[in-house]
Amino acid sequence: MRFTPRIRPIAAVGLAGVLAALTACSADKGAVFAPSSTIIQLSAPRTVLAVRDSTVILVTVRLTDGTPVADGTLVSVGAARGSLNQQAVRTQNGQATVTYQAGSQLGLDTITASASGTQTQLSVRIASATIASVTLTASPETLPRDGGRLTITALAIDANGNGVAGAAVTFTATAGTLGNSPVVTDDSGKAVTTLEARQTTTVTATIDGGPSGEIEIIRRGRLSVSMSHEPKKPEIGEAVTFEISATEGGSEASGTLKVRYGNGERYEQPFTGSATTSQTYQAARTFTVTVTIITAAGDTERRTHSVTVVAPPPPPPPTPTPSPSPDPDPSPSPSPTPGDNDEMDLSKVTWLHHNVSAWPQTSRITTFSHGDPPICIDHTQSGRWPTIVVGGNVIEGNAWVFAKVDGRWYAATYEWLRPGQVCKGIDRDNIGPHVKKSPLDKWKPKSGETVGFMVSTPARSGPKGKKQERSNVIVVTWP
């Protein structure tokens, strides 16, 4: 029996399939094809690359039981945008490498590897340059004591300090809730997200295969304000000194201090830790002082404080006029002393209030002290000069200051004195405003500056009362 083989026409199997098989066999003789139960993995040391940058892609091919496929197993590779130095690789011990070069287009590129119907992909992000570092900032820089929401900004820069666009930044936080993540950097190299937290937390920004950065967001402590005043029961017209302090979480608070004294007057200044201010009240009643601290971060704390102002004691009754007697008065008024007891030449002084240089010196300053505040001037006629009533207040005299401004000496009163009063709550910050006459109204003495002091009967608004007398002028150094 003769056997005649049956020849199948080429058209039946497809000319293209035959040519493809012949081409593959001729081009890669000895290639091994992966079995269907194959696992392919792609990895790279960096998955964020600069434009035209390159990296090595590792292709790993294993069976489902984890053993490497046979050496020479053929794997096809390709890239959507960039380029590869090979389109097919053969494994050695289950691995092969291929070099990938990024294109000029920013964004994601996809690298694909396939073998025997099994396929896997690796995403690579193309940025405008190689990232050298990532820094983080927060706005505001800290959390309020009750928690809140912040904006977190990551800046990716290259070795020259320029922002890198197109990099994907992944944000993580040890506490709280983050907004968008990952976020792609914009043209300036910034990626922005939000954080909501109620406790101190650390935020980290990471670029896959690249550097990372972190920032600690601190929850601020409770803001506490305290206040006191001296004297405890001030009299009408007496300067009241307020001591104000504030802490935040146990540390000195800083920001803006606002004070409302309760008599229509206000005070505002930058504040760090503590402050001293003063005020004079012209009525006998209780005033409510309101203190507000506003920190740089926007936290606000308000406290109220009561000051009870009392009327000064009434002046002693006048001494009865003695009956005529041949005997001399046992307590005669002191005789005026010449002006050469003054420690400066009063003829060269410009008087901002009434010029009392010609008034007789019936009193001598015995002690002077400067606490900044208070300023205390005791003299031999304290409590003995006749009194007048000014604005409902019983007044014995005025305290004077002598200061040199732009090469010229000026004299002015800065306070009223009650009968027998020696001390006034005056310091370097408020002595000028108490004068209320230019140029001393804006004068603030410096440490080591030479200053003069004197007391007189009432003279601030012109000669008042039965006598026009004064003390000597002393010269001191401001502490």
Side-chain angles (χ1 to χ4, degrees):
M1 182 177 178
R2 184 179 179 183
F3 175 75
T4 303
R6 183 178 179 181
I7 300 176
R8 189 177 183 185
I10 291 179
V13 296
L15 178 59
V18 174
L19 291 175
L22 291 174
T23 301
C25 290
S26 61
D28 199 354
K29 297 178 181 179
V32 177
F33 296 97
S36 59
S37 57
T38 299
I39 299 173
I40 305 174
Q41 294 177 325
L42 294 177
S43 61
R46 294 181 298 136
T47 55
V48 178
L49 303 176
V51 171
R52 304 299 184 188
D53 197 3
S54 62
T55 188
V56 174
I57 306 297
L58 178 64
V59 183
T60 302
V61 187
R62 298 183 182 276
L63 301 177
T64 54
D65 62 3
T67 58
V69 296
D71 289 349
T73 297
L74 186 67
V75 181
S76 299
V77 290
R81 295 180 181 176
S83 61
L84 299 169
N85 66 336
Q86 303 177 71
Q87 283 72 50
V89 293
R90 286 192 292 177
T91 63
Q92 180 70 34
N93 293 325
Q95 293 184 325
T97 59
V98 61
T99 299
Y100 167 83
Q101 184 176 36
S104 59
Q105 186 175 358
L106 302 184
L108 283 176
D109 195 1
T110 303
I111 301 169
T112 303
S114 59
S116 300
T118 301
Q119 178 176 292
T120 191
Q121 292 181 331
L122 174 68
S123 294
V124 178
R125 182 167 291 278
I126 312 305
S128 59
T130 300
I131 299 172
S133 65
V134 178
T135 57
L136 284 171
T137 57
S139 180
E141 296 180 349
T142 56
L143 282 167
R145 59 178 179 263
D146 297 325
R149 181 184 179 96
L150 301 91
T151 299
I152 307 296
T153 301
L155 174 63
I157 58 175
D158 61 18
N160 296 319
N162 300 314
V164 178
V169 180
T170 300
F171 294 93
T172 58
T174 57
T177 302
L178 286 164
N180 295 333
S181 181
V183 181
V184 178
T185 57
D186 59 18
D187 291 342
S188 63
K190 294 180 180 179
V192 180
T193 190
T194 58
L195 170 70
E196 291 188 9
R198 299 178 64 84
Q199 65 188 76
T200 296
T201 181
T202 298
V203 178
T204 303
T206 304
I207 294 178
D208 189 19
S212 63
E214 66 177 33
I215 186 173
E216 184 180 31
I217 310 298
I218 297 175
R219 173 182 169 269
R220 300 189 296 277
R222 184 163 297 279
L223 184 60
S224 177
V225 178
S226 61
M227 184 177 184
S228 62
H229 72 273
E230 289 290 343
K232 298 302 182 183
K233 290 187 177 180
E235 297 180 4
I236 294 173
E238 184 177 10
V240 183
T241 301
F242 297 96
E243 296 288 343
I244 303 165
S245 62
T247 59
E248 188 174 30
S251 301
E252 286 188 343
S254 62
T256 300
L257 166 67
K258 296 183 178 181
V259 182
R260 293 186 177 184
Y261 294 104
N263 61 348
E265 298 292 327
R266 299 187 180 190
Y267 174 80
E268 180 174 341
Q269 71 168 16
F271 175 88
T272 299
S274 61
T276 301
T277 181
S278 64
Q279 183 64 202
T280 301
Y281 295 92
Q282 302 302 327
R285 64 180 180 87
T286 298
F287 295 86
T288 299
V289 182
T290 303
V291 175
T292 303
I293 301 290
I294 304 174
T295 68
D299 290 337
T300 300
E301 187 70 12
R302 184 174 287 108
R303 287 287 183 272
T304 57
H305 185 82
S306 295
V307 178
T308 300
V309 179
V310 299
T319 302
T321 303
S323 301
S325 171
D327 297 330
D329 186 352
S331 301
S333 298
S335 301
T337 57
D340 56 10
N341 290 329
D342 297 318
E343 296 180 7
M344 66 169 57
D345 186 355
L346 300 188
S347 66
K348 297 180 180 180
V349 173
T350 299
W351 297 82
L352 302 182
H353 292 121
H354 185 76
N355 185 346
V356 302
S357 61
W359 288 10
Q361 291 184 30
T362 63
S363 186
R364 179 175 56 84
I365 294 177
T366 56
T367 59
F368 175 85
S369 64
H370 194 305
D372 200 21
I375 295 176
C376 299
I377 308 173
D378 199 359
H379 61 107
T380 56
Q381 285 294 92
S382 176
R384 298 181 180 181
W385 275 336
T387 60
I388 65 171
V389 177
V390 177
N393 302 311
V394 178
I395 300 299
E396 177 181 79
N398 286 119
W400 289 76
V401 64
F402 295 76
K404 198 171 188 179
V405 177
D406 296 330
R408 171 181 283 185
W409 281 100
Y410 293 89
T413 66
Y414 62 86
E415 270 290 6
W416 296 100
L417 296 172
R418 299 189 310 277
Q421 187 174 24
V422 173
C423 297
K424 302 298 291 190
I426 296 297
D427 58 24
R428 72 180 68 234
D429 292 322
N430 64 19
I431 190 168
H434 274 245
V435 169
K436 298 182 180 179
K437 291 280 189 177
S438 178
L440 294 191
D441 58 343
K442 295 182 174 58
W443 170 67
K444 184 176 181 179
K446 301 180 177 62
S447 295
E449 182 175 348
T450 300
V451 183
F453 287 95
M454 178 185 74
V455 292
S456 75
T457 55
R460 187 175 178 91
S461 55
K464 302 288 184 182
K466 297 178 180 180
K467 292 185 178 182
Q468 286 80 50
E469 301 176 359
R470 67 178 179 91
S471 74
N472 58 315
V473 178
I474 64 168
V475 175
V476 300
T477 300
W478 197 280

PDB file of all heavy atoms in Angstrom, residues 334-364:
ATOM      1  N   PRO A 334       8.790 129.720 106.485  1.00  0.00           N
ATOM      2  CA  PRO A 334      10.213 129.805 106.156  1.00  0.00           C
ATOM      3  C   PRO A 334      10.468 130.982 105.249  1.00  0.00           C
ATOM      4  O   PRO A 334       9.655 131.326 104.397  1.00  0.00           O
ATOM      5  CB  PRO A 334      10.492 128.468 105.457  1.00  0.00           C
ATOM      6  CG  PRO A 334       9.171 127.966 105.016  1.00  0.00           C
ATOM      7  CD  PRO A 334       8.162 128.502 105.987  1.00  0.00           C
ATOM      8  N   SER A 335      11.596 131.598 105.468  1.00  0.00           N
ATOM      9  CA  SER A 335      11.956 132.733 104.627  1.00  0.00           C
ATOM     10  C   SER A 335      12.443 132.245 103.277  1.00  0.00           C
ATOM     11  O   SER A 335      13.087 131.196 103.172  1.00  0.00           O
ATOM     12  CB  SER A 335      13.066 133.543 105.317  1.00  0.00           C
ATOM     13  OG  SER A 335      12.620 134.001 106.568  1.00  0.00           O
ATOM     14  N   PRO A 336      12.103 132.985 102.214  1.00  0.00           N
ATOM     15  CA  PRO A 336      12.598 132.578 100.898  1.00  0.00           C
ATOM     16  C   PRO A 336      14.111 132.553 100.877  1.00  0.00           C
ATOM     17  O   PRO A 336      14.767 133.395 101.487  1.00  0.00           O
ATOM     18  CB  PRO A 336      12.033 133.651  99.969  1.00  0.00           C
ATOM     19  CG  PRO A 336      10.889 134.258 100.719  1.00  0.00           C
ATOM     20  CD  PRO A 336      11.260 134.181 102.152  1.00  0.00           C
ATOM     21  N   THR A 337      14.664 131.590 100.158  1.00  0.00           N
ATOM     22  CA  THR A 337      16.106 131.487  99.996  1.00  0.00           C
ATOM     23  C   THR A 337      16.467 131.899  98.588  1.00  0.00           C
ATOM     24  O   THR A 337      15.659 131.805  97.664  1.00  0.00           O
ATOM     25  CB  THR A 337      16.591 130.043 100.257  1.00  0.00           C
ATOM     26  OG1 THR A 337      15.897 129.183  99.364  1.00  0.00           O
ATOM     27  CG2 THR A 337      16.293 129.621 101.677  1.00  0.00           C
ATOM     28  N   PRO A 338      17.668 132.392  98.402  1.00  0.00           N
ATOM     29  CA  PRO A 338      18.042 132.852  97.059  1.00  0.00           C
ATOM     30  C   PRO A 338      18.098 131.722  96.054  1.00  0.00           C
ATOM     31  O   PRO A 338      18.235 130.560  96.401  1.00  0.00           O
ATOM     32  CB  PRO A 338      19.430 133.477  97.299  1.00  0.00           C
ATOM     33  CG  PRO A 338      19.950 132.811  98.536  1.00  0.00           C
ATOM     34  CD  PRO A 338      18.731 132.559  99.388  1.00  0.00           C
ATOM     35  N   GLY A 339      18.025 132.104  94.784  1.00  0.00           N
ATOM     36  CA  GLY A 339      17.989 131.111  93.724  1.00  0.00           C
ATOM     37  C   GLY A 339      19.292 130.392  93.483  1.00  0.00           C
ATOM     38  O   GLY A 339      19.351 129.484  92.649  1.00  0.00           O
ATOM     39  N   ASP A 340      20.371 130.782  94.182  1.00  0.00           N
ATOM     40  CA  ASP A 340      21.624 130.104  93.923  1.00  0.00           C
ATOM     41  C   ASP A 340      21.658 128.698  94.498  1.00  0.00           C
ATOM     42  O   ASP A 340      22.651 127.989  94.383  1.00  0.00           O
ATOM     43  CB  ASP A 340      22.807 130.932  94.454  1.00  0.00           C
ATOM     44  CG  ASP A 340      22.673 131.256  95.937  1.00  0.00           C
ATOM     45  OD1 ASP A 340      21.782 130.691  96.580  1.00  0.00           O
ATOM     46  OD2 ASP A 340      23.481 132.073  96.413  1.00  0.00           O
ATOM     47  N   ASN A 341      20.557 128.257  95.160  1.00  0.00           N
ATOM     48  CA  ASN A 341      20.470 126.855  95.580  1.00  0.00           C
ATOM     49  C   ASN A 341      20.129 125.923  94.424  1.00  0.00           C
ATOM     50  O   ASN A 341      20.217 124.711  94.560  1.00  0.00           O
ATOM     51  CB  ASN A 341      19.422 126.692  96.685  1.00  0.00           C
ATOM     52  CG  ASN A 341      19.878 127.310  97.996  1.00  0.00           C
ATOM     53  OD1 ASN A 341      21.070 127.339  98.284  1.00  0.00           O
ATOM     54  ND2 ASN A 341      18.928 127.812  98.772  1.00  0.00           N
ATOM     55  N   ASP A 342      19.692 126.457  93.309  1.00  0.00           N
ATOM     56  CA  ASP A 342      19.363 125.635  92.151  1.00  0.00           C
ATOM     57  C   ASP A 342      20.638 125.056  91.530  1.00  0.00           C
ATOM     58  O   ASP A 342      21.684 125.731  91.494  1.00  0.00           O
ATOM     59  CB  ASP A 342      18.624 126.465  91.094  1.00  0.00           C
ATOM     60  CG  ASP A 342      17.285 126.974  91.619  1.00  0.00           C
ATOM     61  OD1 ASP A 342      16.589 126.190  92.287  1.00  0.00           O
ATOM     62  OD2 ASP A 342      16.961 128.144  91.336  1.00  0.00           O
ATOM     63  N   GLU A 343      20.537 123.846  91.041  1.00  0.00           N
ATOM     64  CA  GLU A 343      21.694 123.171  90.464  1.00  0.00           C
ATOM     65  C   GLU A 343      21.807 123.400  88.961  1.00  0.00           C
ATOM     66  O   GLU A 343      22.542 122.696  88.277  1.00  0.00           O
ATOM     67  CB  GLU A 343      21.629 121.673  90.772  1.00  0.00           C
ATOM     68  CG  GLU A 343      21.718 121.386  92.265  1.00  0.00           C
ATOM     69  CD  GLU A 343      21.662 119.903  92.589  1.00  0.00           C
ATOM     70  OE1 GLU A 343      21.678 119.085  91.642  1.00  0.00           O
ATOM     71  OE2 GLU A 343      21.611 119.560  93.794  1.00  0.00           O
ATOM     72  N   MET A 344      21.048 124.344  88.418  1.00  0.00           N
ATOM     73  CA  MET A 344      21.198 124.723  87.022  1.00  0.00           C
ATOM     74  C   MET A 344      20.802 126.189  86.872  1.00  0.00           C
ATOM     75  O   MET A 344      20.143 126.770  87.754  1.00  0.00           O
ATOM     76  CB  MET A 344      20.351 123.846  86.098  1.00  0.00           C
ATOM     77  CG  MET A 344      18.861 123.985  86.266  1.00  0.00           C
ATOM     78  SD  MET A 344      17.944 123.173  84.936  1.00  0.00           S
ATOM     79  CE  MET A 344      18.541 121.504  85.056  1.00  0.00           C
ATOM     80  N   ASP A 345      21.230 126.802  85.799  1.00  0.00           N
ATOM     81  CA  ASP A 345      20.940 128.205  85.513  1.00  0.00           C
ATOM     82  C   ASP A 345      19.541 128.310  84.900  1.00  0.00           C
ATOM     83  O   ASP A 345      19.325 127.970  83.727  1.00  0.00           O
ATOM     84  CB  ASP A 345      21.995 128.763  84.564  1.00  0.00           C
ATOM     85  CG  ASP A 345      21.827 130.270  84.338  1.00  0.00           C
ATOM     86  OD1 ASP A 345      20.845 130.842  84.851  1.00  0.00           O
ATOM     87  OD2 ASP A 345      22.689 130.847  83.638  1.00  0.00           O
ATOM     88  N   LEU A 346      18.574 128.792  85.698  1.00  0.00           N
ATOM     89  CA  LEU A 346      17.190 128.843  85.233  1.00  0.00           C
ATOM     90  C   LEU A 346      16.960 129.928  84.191  1.00  0.00           C
ATOM     91  O   LEU A 346      15.927 129.923  83.504  1.00  0.00           O
ATOM     92  CB  LEU A 346      16.240 129.048  86.418  1.00  0.00           C
ATOM     93  CG  LEU A 346      16.278 127.948  87.495  1.00  0.00           C
ATOM     94  CD1 LEU A 346      15.151 128.177  88.510  1.00  0.00           C
ATOM     95  CD2 LEU A 346      16.168 126.558  86.895  1.00  0.00           C
ATOM     96  N   SER A 347      17.904 130.836  84.032  1.00  0.00           N
ATOM     97  CA  SER A 347      17.733 131.872  83.004  1.00  0.00           C
ATOM     98  C   SER A 347      17.893 131.310  81.597  1.00  0.00           C
ATOM     99  O   SER A 347      17.499 131.958  80.625  1.00  0.00           O
ATOM    100  CB  SER A 347      18.758 132.998  83.235  1.00  0.00           C
ATOM    101  OG  SER A 347      20.092 132.532  83.021  1.00  0.00           O
ATOM    102  N   LYS A 348      18.473 130.117  81.506  1.00  0.00           N
ATOM    103  CA  LYS A 348      18.672 129.492  80.203  1.00  0.00           C
ATOM    104  C   LYS A 348      17.641 128.401  79.927  1.00  0.00           C
ATOM    105  O   LYS A 348      17.805 127.602  79.027  1.00  0.00           O
ATOM    106  CB  LYS A 348      20.075 128.894  80.123  1.00  0.00           C
ATOM    107  CG  LYS A 348      21.172 129.952  80.232  1.00  0.00           C
ATOM    108  CD  LYS A 348      22.550 129.323  80.142  1.00  0.00           C
ATOM    109  CE  LYS A 348      23.640 130.395  80.242  1.00  0.00           C
ATOM    110  NZ  LYS A 348      25.000 129.791  80.152  1.00  0.00           N
ATOM    111  N   VAL A 349      16.559 128.403  80.711  1.00  0.00           N
ATOM    112  CA  VAL A 349      15.517 127.376  80.586  1.00  0.00           C
ATOM    113  C   VAL A 349      14.310 127.960  79.865  1.00  0.00           C
ATOM    114  O   VAL A 349      13.896 129.092  80.141  1.00  0.00           O
ATOM    115  CB  VAL A 349      15.100 126.839  81.967  1.00  0.00           C
ATOM    116  CG1 VAL A 349      13.904 125.892  81.835  1.00  0.00           C
ATOM    117  CG2 VAL A 349      16.274 126.147  82.641  1.00  0.00           C
ATOM    118  N   THR A 350      13.755 127.189  78.928  1.00  0.00           N
ATOM    119  CA  THR A 350      12.485 127.547  78.288  1.00  0.00           C
ATOM    120  C   THR A 350      11.358 126.910  79.092  1.00  0.00           C
ATOM    121  O   THR A 350      11.331 125.691  79.267  1.00  0.00           O
ATOM    122  CB  THR A 350      12.438 127.053  76.834  1.00  0.00           C
ATOM    123  OG1 THR A 350      13.496 127.678  76.100  1.00  0.00           O
ATOM    124  CG2 THR A 350      11.099 127.398  76.181  1.00  0.00           C
ATOM    125  N   TRP A 351      10.417 127.716  79.563  1.00  0.00           N
ATOM    126  CA  TRP A 351       9.358 127.233  80.457  1.00  0.00           C
ATOM    127  C   TRP A 351       8.121 126.902  79.633  1.00  0.00           C
ATOM    128  O   TRP A 351       7.546 127.775  78.998  1.00  0.00           O
ATOM    129  CB  TRP A 351       9.040 128.281  81.519  1.00  0.00           C
ATOM    130  CG  TRP A 351      10.226 128.544  82.398  1.00  0.00           C
ATOM    131  CD1 TRP A 351      11.278 129.364  82.138  1.00  0.00           C
ATOM    132  CD2 TRP A 351      10.486 127.934  83.658  1.00  0.00           C
ATOM    133  NE1 TRP A 351      12.196 129.311  83.148  1.00  0.00           N
ATOM    134  CE2 TRP A 351      11.729 128.439  84.119  1.00  0.00           C
ATOM    135  CE3 TRP A 351       9.806 127.024  84.456  1.00  0.00           C
ATOM    136  CZ2 TRP A 351      12.291 128.056  85.322  1.00  0.00           C
ATOM    137  CZ3 TRP A 351      10.365 126.648  85.671  1.00  0.00           C
ATOM    138  CH2 TRP A 351      11.593 127.154  86.090  1.00  0.00           C
ATOM    139  N   LEU A 352       7.702 125.632  79.636  1.00  0.00           N
ATOM    140  CA  LEU A 352       6.510 125.202  78.902  1.00  0.00           C
ATOM    141  C   LEU A 352       5.244 125.461  79.704  1.00  0.00           C
ATOM    142  O   LEU A 352       4.163 125.628  79.130  1.00  0.00           O
ATOM    143  CB  LEU A 352       6.625 123.719  78.554  1.00  0.00           C
ATOM    144  CG  LEU A 352       7.864 123.329  77.724  1.00  0.00           C
ATOM    145  CD1 LEU A 352       7.837 121.834  77.411  1.00  0.00           C
ATOM    146  CD2 LEU A 352       7.928 124.128  76.433  1.00  0.00           C
ATOM    147  N   HIS A 353       5.341 125.467  81.014  1.00  0.00           N
ATOM    148  CA  HIS A 353       4.270 125.929  81.882  1.00  0.00           C
ATOM    149  C   HIS A 353       4.731 127.246  82.523  1.00  0.00           C
ATOM    150  O   HIS A 353       5.777 127.793  82.152  1.00  0.00           O
ATOM    151  CB  HIS A 353       3.918 124.866  82.923  1.00  0.00           C
ATOM    152  CG  HIS A 353       3.273 123.653  82.317  1.00  0.00           C
ATOM    153  ND1 HIS A 353       3.791 122.376  82.426  1.00  0.00           N
ATOM    154  CD2 HIS A 353       2.159 123.526  81.538  1.00  0.00           C
ATOM    155  CE1 HIS A 353       3.020 121.510  81.773  1.00  0.00           C
ATOM    156  NE2 HIS A 353       2.028 122.189  81.221  1.00  0.00           N
ATOM    157  N   HIS A 354       3.986 127.772  83.451  1.00  0.00           N
ATOM    158  CA  HIS A 354       4.272 129.103  84.003  1.00  0.00           C
ATOM    159  C   HIS A 354       5.711 129.188  84.527  1.00  0.00           C
ATOM    160  O   HIS A 354       6.184 128.290  85.234  1.00  0.00           O
ATOM    161  CB  HIS A 354       3.283 129.419  85.125  1.00  0.00           C
ATOM    162  CG  HIS A 354       3.435 130.805  85.657  1.00  0.00           C
ATOM    163  ND1 HIS A 354       2.983 131.914  84.975  1.00  0.00           N
ATOM    164  CD2 HIS A 354       3.994 131.273  86.811  1.00  0.00           C
ATOM    165  CE1 HIS A 354       3.250 132.995  85.678  1.00  0.00           C
ATOM    166  NE2 HIS A 354       3.869 132.641  86.799  1.00  0.00           N
ATOM    167  N   ASN A 355       6.386 130.255  84.181  1.00  0.00           N
ATOM    168  CA  ASN A 355       7.762 130.466  84.609  1.00  0.00           C
ATOM    169  C   ASN A 355       7.775 130.807  86.095  1.00  0.00           C
ATOM    170  O   ASN A 355       7.304 131.878  86.513  1.00  0.00           O
ATOM    171  CB  ASN A 355       8.394 131.587  83.795  1.00  0.00           C
ATOM    172  CG  ASN A 355       9.871 131.773  84.098  1.00  0.00           C
ATOM    173  OD1 ASN A 355      10.390 131.268  85.083  1.00  0.00           O
ATOM    174  ND2 ASN A 355      10.544 132.529  83.235  1.00  0.00           N
ATOM    175  N   VAL A 356       8.325 129.885  86.905  1.00  0.00           N
ATOM    176  CA  VAL A 356       8.344 130.084  88.358  1.00  0.00           C
ATOM    177  C   VAL A 356       9.761 130.361  88.849  1.00  0.00           C
ATOM    178  O   VAL A 356      10.020 130.275  90.066  1.00  0.00           O
ATOM    179  CB  VAL A 356       7.759 128.855  89.083  1.00  0.00           C
ATOM    180  CG1 VAL A 356       6.328 128.587  88.627  1.00  0.00           C
ATOM    181  CG2 VAL A 356       8.617 127.607  88.843  1.00  0.00           C
ATOM    182  N   SER A 357      10.671 130.670  87.918  1.00  0.00           N
ATOM    183  CA  SER A 357      12.065 130.852  88.339  1.00  0.00           C
ATOM    184  C   SER A 357      12.217 131.971  89.358  1.00  0.00           C
ATOM    185  O   SER A 357      13.132 131.939  90.209  1.00  0.00           O
ATOM    186  CB  SER A 357      12.944 131.119  87.112  1.00  0.00           C
ATOM    187  OG  SER A 357      12.518 132.304  86.440  1.00  0.00           O
ATOM    188  N   ALA A 358      11.341 132.985  89.286  1.00  0.00           N
ATOM    189  CA  ALA A 358      11.435 134.111  90.232  1.00  0.00           C
ATOM    190  C   ALA A 358      10.688 133.860  91.531  1.00  0.00           C
ATOM    191  O   ALA A 358      10.751 134.694  92.449  1.00  0.00           O
ATOM    192  CB  ALA A 358      10.911 135.386  89.565  1.00  0.00           C
ATOM    193  N   TRP A 359       9.952 132.754  91.622  1.00  0.00           N
ATOM    194  CA  TRP A 359       9.235 132.475  92.859  1.00  0.00           C
ATOM    195  C   TRP A 359      10.242 132.158  93.967  1.00  0.00           C
ATOM    196  O   TRP A 359      11.281 131.516  93.728  1.00  0.00           O
ATOM    197  CB  TRP A 359       8.297 131.289  92.678  1.00  0.00           C
ATOM    198  CG  TRP A 359       7.087 131.587  91.841  1.00  0.00           C
ATOM    199  CD1 TRP A 359       6.853 132.685  91.102  1.00  0.00           C
ATOM    200  CD2 TRP A 359       5.954 130.727  91.679  1.00  0.00           C
ATOM    201  NE1 TRP A 359       5.640 132.608  90.470  1.00  0.00           N
ATOM    202  CE2 TRP A 359       5.052 131.385  90.803  1.00  0.00           C
ATOM    203  CE3 TRP A 359       5.587 129.492  92.160  1.00  0.00           C
ATOM    204  CZ2 TRP A 359       3.840 130.856  90.427  1.00  0.00           C
ATOM    205  CZ3 TRP A 359       4.369 128.935  91.784  1.00  0.00           C
ATOM    206  CH2 TRP A 359       3.507 129.624  90.923  1.00  0.00           C
ATOM    207  N   PRO A 360       9.931 132.560  95.173  1.00  0.00           N
ATOM    208  CA  PRO A 360      10.870 132.315  96.275  1.00  0.00           C
ATOM    209  C   PRO A 360      10.980 130.822  96.610  1.00  0.00           C
ATOM    210  O   PRO A 360       9.998 130.085  96.531  1.00  0.00           O
ATOM    211  CB  PRO A 360      10.264 133.098  97.445  1.00  0.00           C
ATOM    212  CG  PRO A 360       8.816 133.223  97.110  1.00  0.00           C
ATOM    213  CD  PRO A 360       8.735 133.336  95.625  1.00  0.00           C
ATOM    214  N   GLN A 361      12.194 130.448  96.975  1.00  0.00           N
ATOM    215  CA  GLN A 361      12.429 129.053  97.390  1.00  0.00           C
ATOM    216  C   GLN A 361      12.141 128.948  98.882  1.00  0.00           C
ATOM    217  O   GLN A 361      12.973 129.286  99.713  1.00  0.00           O
ATOM    218  CB  GLN A 361      13.870 128.644  97.122  1.00  0.00           C
ATOM    219  CG  GLN A 361      14.242 128.516  95.667  1.00  0.00           C
ATOM    220  CD  GLN A 361      15.672 128.017  95.508  1.00  0.00           C
ATOM    221  OE1 GLN A 361      16.187 127.278  96.338  1.00  0.00           O
ATOM    222  NE2 GLN A 361      16.316 128.443  94.423  1.00  0.00           N
ATOM    223  N   THR A 362      10.955 128.454  99.195  1.00  0.00           N
ATOM    224  CA  THR A 362      10.585 128.274 100.600  1.00  0.00           C
ATOM    225  C   THR A 362      10.733 126.823 101.044  1.00  0.00           C
ATOM    226  O   THR A 362      10.493 126.508 102.200  1.00  0.00           O
ATOM    227  CB  THR A 362       9.134 128.722 100.832  1.00  0.00           C
ATOM    228  OG1 THR A 362       8.269 127.892 100.062  1.00  0.00           O
ATOM    229  CG2 THR A 362       8.949 130.181 100.438  1.00  0.00           C
ATOM    230  N   SER A 363      11.081 125.942 100.097  1.00  0.00           N
ATOM    231  CA  SER A 363      11.204 124.539 100.434  1.00  0.00           C
ATOM    232  C   SER A 363      12.511 123.995  99.868  1.00  0.00           C
ATOM    233  O   SER A 363      13.011 124.484  98.847  1.00  0.00           O
ATOM    234  CB  SER A 363      10.015 123.739  99.877  1.00  0.00           C
ATOM    235  OG  SER A 363      10.041 122.397 100.318  1.00  0.00           O
ATOM    236  N   ARG A 364      13.033 122.980 100.538  1.00  0.00           N
ATOM    237  CA  ARG A 364      14.272 122.353 100.097  1.00  0.00           C
ATOM    238  C   ARG A 364      14.035 120.855  99.912  1.00  0.00           C
ATOM    239  O   ARG A 364      13.452 120.193 100.785  1.00  0.00           O
ATOM    240  CB  ARG A 364      15.380 122.584 101.124  1.00  0.00           C
ATOM    241  CG  ARG A 364      16.716 121.932 100.758  1.00  0.00           C
ATOM    242  CD  ARG A 364      17.776 122.318 101.788  1.00  0.00           C
ATOM    243  NE  ARG A 364      17.357 121.968 103.142  1.00  0.00           N
ATOM    244  CZ  ARG A 364      17.512 120.743 103.675  1.00  0.00           C
ATOM    245  NH1 ARG A 364      18.038 119.760 102.960  1.00  0.00           N
ATOM    246  NH2 ARG A 364      17.122 120.524 104.914  1.00  0.00           N
TER     247      ARG A 364
END
